[in-house]
Amino acid sequence: MDPLSDVLSMLRPTDYAFRGLEAGGSWSLHYPADGSLKCFAITLGSCWLYGDAPIGQRRLRQGDVVMVSGGTAFRLCSDLESRAVDVAEALTVVGPGNVAHIGTGIDCAGLGGYFGFGSTHAGILLAMLPEVLHVVSATGEALRRSIARLMEELRCPRPGGQLMASHFAQALLIEALRQYLDSVPPGRGNWLYALQDSKLSMAFSAVHAEPGRPWTVALLAAAAGMSRSAFAAHFAGTVGEAPMAYVTRWRMLLACERLAMKGATISSVATSLGYESDSAFGAAFKRVLGASPRKISEAS
């Protein structure tokens, strides 16, 4: 698979719920920092998205789509002075796929929901993506169709609906990331942005295709068709970290997945990921994931 597909597959969206929202007058919904990924599409009027940096104060207008990762609490509101109500209290009174009403009248309407993830290290994977993805109305039509189709499956369950909804949810994530990449300039200091770079994307693809190869900066530079020094500087400036730091983190995330498989041993996983000794593998694993590989293996 390509690097983006690898990361999204490892995230494993296992929980999601989308509802419609009609709001009017003075209203404010509080969304906690719960580790999920929230998504909103504004279909009528406008509202504010407000939170600590990097969210800040953003005006969302009709046609906009925005995704916010779970690391920061925020509010969706008519104005910044309104008293906030917890989103669970306000919206879960209606089932997934249905429409919730808050406030008085209808000044703003949209679709929204969240994704929860099955990966033990979802936080590390989400950190590879921008914390806020804001797609403005000019480019958000495909996203709005995806959300509407997902809500239809949730609202009117049919045979096979659970699997269908799961596919729509994952497709929505991919479409959002694609649309966002199409709308921003390259070179923004993040792994996702680096996928726009034709040379860096070749290096990423090589690592994801052969994670156990004894990679060096020189070999990665050759895969990208660049000199070693130019590649190292370009990678660090675009991704925000050194090339081998990325290689190590990706290997450790793969290791965590593989150690959870039946019959897997620390030695076999270490060898498959290019480590000649269990001790070197264990040191890298603990440095990146904060626990020993034995602990992960025994918990599986």
Side-chain angles (χ1 to χ4, degrees), residues 152-175:
E152 182 181 339
E153 286 292 335
L154 295 173
R155 183 174 58 251
C156 304
R158 300 172 59 192
Q162 186 173 359
L163 182 59
M164 183 70 78
S166 177
H167 287 321
F168 280 131
Q170 294 192 51
L172 173 60
L173 278 175
I174 295 170
E175 187 63 43

Side-chain angles (χ1 to χ4, degrees), residues 41-47 60-65 109 136-138 144:
I42 307 302
T43 57
L44 174 71
S46 63
C47 64
L60 305 182
R61 296 178 170 81
Q62 181 174 332
D64 285 10
V65 176
V136 298
S137 58
R144 292 190 292 277

Side-chain angles (χ1 to χ4, degrees), residues 9-280:
S9 295
M10 192 177 287
L11 270 170
R12 294 196 303 275
T14 55
D15 185 25
Y16 47 85
F18 279 74
R19 294 172 174 84
L21 173 66
E22 294 180 345
S26 181
W27 59 276
S28 179
L29 295 174
H30 174 263
Y31 291 80
D34 59 5
S36 66
L37 180 67
K38 286 87 171 179
C39 179
F40 310 96
I42 307 302
T43 57
L44 174 71
S46 63
C47 64
W48 286 96
L49 175 67
Y50 175 69
D52 292 336
I55 297 173
Q57 298 181 19
R58 298 170 182 257
R59 191 67 170 171
L60 305 182
R61 296 178 170 81
Q62 181 174 332
D64 285 10
V65 176
V66 65
M67 283 191 172
V68 184
S69 66
T72 304
F74 62 91
R75 286 193 288 153
L76 201 65
C77 53
S78 60
D79 60 86
L80 305 182
E81 305 302 322
S82 298
R83 185 181 69 86
V85 177
D86 187 82
V87 65
E89 176 185 339
L91 299 190
T92 55
V93 293
V94 302
N98 291 293
V99 179
H101 303 267
I102 60 173
T104 57
I106 305 176
D107 302 322
C108 177
L111 312 172
Y114 70 89
F115 299 93
F117 301 102
S119 172
T120 307
H121 301 288
I124 296 176
L125 292 160
L126 285 174
M128 298 169 71
L129 309 177
E131 191 164 347
V132 183
L133 291 86
H134 186 180
V135 180
V136 298
S137 58
T139 56
E141 182 58 33
L143 287 176
R144 292 190 292 277
R145 289 198 304 267
S146 295
I147 294 174
R149 188 68 180 88
L150 174 58
M151 285 190 63
E152 182 181 339
E153 286 292 335
L154 295 173
R155 183 174 58 251
C156 304
R158 300 172 59 192
Q162 186 173 359
L163 182 59
M164 183 70 78
S166 177
H167 287 321
F168 280 131
Q170 294 192 51
L172 173 60
L173 278 175
I174 295 170
E175 187 63 43
L177 294 170
R178 284 177 171 177
Q179 292 289 338
Y180 187 71
L181 280 176
D182 288 344
S183 68
V184 297
R188 297 286 297 277
N190 183 281
W191 171 83
L192 180 64
Y193 300 123
L195 297 183
Q196 294 174 292
D197 187 295
S198 60
K199 293 184 179 296
L200 292 184
S201 66
M202 288 191 290
F204 283 125
S205 295
V207 170
H208 282 246
E210 298 182 274
R213 186 177 177 184
W215 291 108
T216 62
V217 176
L219 286 174
L220 291 170
M226 301 175 67
S227 71
R228 184 188 183 282
S229 58
F231 171 78
H234 185 48
F235 190 102
T238 304
V239 183
E241 65 180 344
M244 294 311 297
Y246 175 81
V247 172
T248 301
R249 186 174 68 252
W250 182 245
R251 283 173 170 170
M252 295 307 105
L253 290 169
L254 287 174
C256 192
E257 297 280 299
R258 294 178 183 182
L259 285 169
M261 296 178 181
K262 185 176 181 179
T265 65
I266 293 174
S267 293
S268 66
V269 172
T271 300
S272 72
L273 292 172
Y275 287 85
E276 296 181 356
S277 71
D278 291 0
S279 59

